[in-house]
Amino acid sequence: MPLFLKPIFHEKIWGGNRLKELGYDLPSDCIGEAWGISAHPNGKCEILNGPYQGQTLDQVWNEHRELFGDFPSKEFPLMTKIVDAKEALSVHVHPDDAYAYEKENGQYGKSECWYIIDAKEDSEIIYGLSAETKELAIDKLNDGEYNGLFNKVKVKPGEFYFIPAGTIHSIGAGILVYETMQSSDVTYRVYDFDREHDSGHKRELDQGKAKDVIEIANENINIATDTEIIENHKRTQLVSNDFFTIVKWQISGTLNYMKPREFVLVSVLKGEGQVIIDGEVYDLNHGQNFILTSDDLDTIFEGDYELIVSYL
């Protein structure tokens, strides 16, 4: 039986209400993130169906590891979320595993990736630094010389970006992003456009740790994807590395699906249909998130919809 999950909403100073477009009932009009699949302490998604209904994903992970192929990790390793950037996010950076383990109480580092669901015309992300060396970048940060320091890239719907730990980045205003990442919430804020809290104080920066972990990344960041047609369905492998593999499926009709790993994370980006698992039928609509576990052997996707599937 799949594990359907209840999303967790996080208010952000830069958030909006566009997540309503995915069928979510939002608690306010400044929601920046919907954590769709998460066992992180800062957002533990609740199971909505079956014998584990009402339990959180971390509980099921800890008590029923057989559902995940007895995967040898203390913490559930991945997280998915949808980000609504009504305004630009802060410019920030995440540490790698080694740094986070030492400095952040044994947490995961954070490499992540973005699938651009929607973007207003001329919307931009920040990816990497214009400085040729880390030393030059740190000098500019020390001097507060932000103008021209951050690489800006115009984006459009359907594009995909991998952001390894150590890469300075930000999602710009008017962009809706599906994000898959290591299960981490460690962020070092570098620059925040001098925004203030409601209290009138500027939001805190964490440039000390940021300077420790930043790396210069100026390569071609819009990853070339690998697409194939399987049973009249379009399968696009977006990325595969040591942290995760991300695949986009465009389902049209009936697909007999074989899990590539013991468990996979699935999110419905648009459309509707059904998933039939070991003879049981479950309705699917945009905005839903679920996990196919080791117990889910015979899976059929049916309908017209788009999925993002993530796994280790």
Side-chain angles (χ1 to χ4, degrees):
M1 176 177 291
L3 304 176
F4 282 87
L5 297 155
K6 182 179 180 179
I8 297 170
F9 302 109
H10 290 265
E11 290 190 351
K12 299 291 182 179
I13 194 171
W14 39 261
N17 60 16
R18 289 195 64 193
L19 295 179
K20 291 179 180 179
E21 298 171 12
L22 292 167
Y24 295 139
D25 184 14
L26 302 183
S28 81
D29 283 334
C30 55
I31 299 300
E33 297 178 346
W35 292 20
I37 302 176
S38 171
H40 192 277
N42 292 346
K44 303 174 182 180
C45 289
E46 179 184 331
I47 310 299
L48 292 173
N49 66 303
Y52 309 110
Q53 183 175 354
Q55 297 185 37
T56 54
L57 180 55
D58 64 308
Q59 287 180 277
V60 178
W61 173 259
N62 291 328
E63 298 172 10
H64 299 281
R65 193 64 62 84
E66 72 279 1
L67 294 175
F68 308 92
D70 293 314
F71 189 81
S73 172
K74 181 180 178 181
E75 310 292 342
F76 189 80
L78 296 178
M79 181 192 302
T80 73
K81 63 174 73 167
I82 297 178
V83 178
D84 172 16
K86 182 179 179 180
E87 298 179 12
L89 279 64
S90 66
V91 182
H92 57 275
V93 66
H94 308 297
D96 63 13
D97 287 339
Y99 190 92
Y101 186 84
E102 179 181 356
K103 302 292 186 180
E104 303 292 346
N105 299 315
Q107 293 192 62
Y108 283 115
K110 189 174 181 181
S111 289
E112 62 188 56
C113 56
W114 299 339
Y115 176 79
I116 308 297
I117 298 175
D118 194 24
K120 294 183 179 179
E121 189 174 356
D122 293 327
S123 295
E124 297 177 326
I125 62 171
I126 286 174
Y127 189 111
L129 298 163
S130 62
E132 294 182 358
T133 68
K134 180 173 179 174
E135 291 73 22
L136 288 173
I138 290 175
D139 286 344
K140 287 183 177 294
L141 290 175
N142 288 337
D143 294 337
E145 296 181 12
Y146 303 119
N147 189 32
L149 177 59
F150 309 123
N151 289 333
K152 297 181 179 180
V153 181
K154 291 189 184 299
V155 298
K156 57 186 179 181
E159 291 182 337
F160 180 81
Y161 298 86
F162 172 55
I163 302 95
T167 304
I168 292 279
H169 60 282
S170 172
I171 300 171
I175 303 175
L176 198 63
V177 169
Y178 180 86
E179 188 173 66
T180 305
M181 69 210 75
Q182 293 178 271
S183 183
S184 173
D185 200 27
V186 179
T187 296
Y188 304 141
R189 193 178 292 143
V190 174
Y191 178 64
D192 194 43
F193 311 98
D194 294 324
R195 280 185 291 209
E196 297 180 348
H197 292 290
D198 291 339
S199 62
H201 295 94
K202 291 182 181 179
R203 296 210 299 168
E204 299 78 11
L205 304 181
D206 199 349
Q207 289 195 358
K209 289 181 177 178
K211 292 168 188 174
D212 287 344
V213 304
I214 58 172
E215 301 289 346
I216 302 299
N218 294 321
E219 67 272 14
N220 182 11
I221 60 170
N222 185 7
I223 294 177
T225 55
D226 180 20
T227 298
E228 59 182 330
I229 302 299
I230 299 177
E231 298 181 20
N232 296 319
H233 311 279
K234 189 175 181 180
R235 178 191 184 276
T236 304
Q237 181 163 300
L238 300 174
V239 70
S240 186
N241 54 38
D242 292 340
F243 306 107
F244 36 62
T245 294
I246 314 296
V247 177
K248 177 185 175 184
W249 281 94
Q250 293 169 268
I251 306 296
S252 181
T254 301
L255 171 67
N256 294 289
Y257 180 74
M258 182 176 293
K259 296 197 310 291
R261 288 300 302 266
E262 294 86 352
F263 68 100
V264 301
L265 287 57
V266 185
S267 297
V268 185
L269 294 188
K270 66 169 62 174
E272 59 184 20
Q274 298 175 325
V275 59
I276 305 166
I277 301 174
D278 299 326
E280 293 290 327
V281 180
Y282 304 89
D283 291 330
L284 295 182
N285 289 285
H286 60 290
Q288 284 185 296
N289 304 276
F290 60 96
I291 299 172
L292 295 175
T293 72
S294 294
D295 284 352
D296 300 322
L297 302 178
D298 183 19
T299 301
I300 299 171
F301 290 120
E302 195 168 77
D304 290 285
Y305 47 85
E306 292 185 5
L307 305 173
I308 295 285
V309 179
S310 311
Y311 54 92
L312 297 161

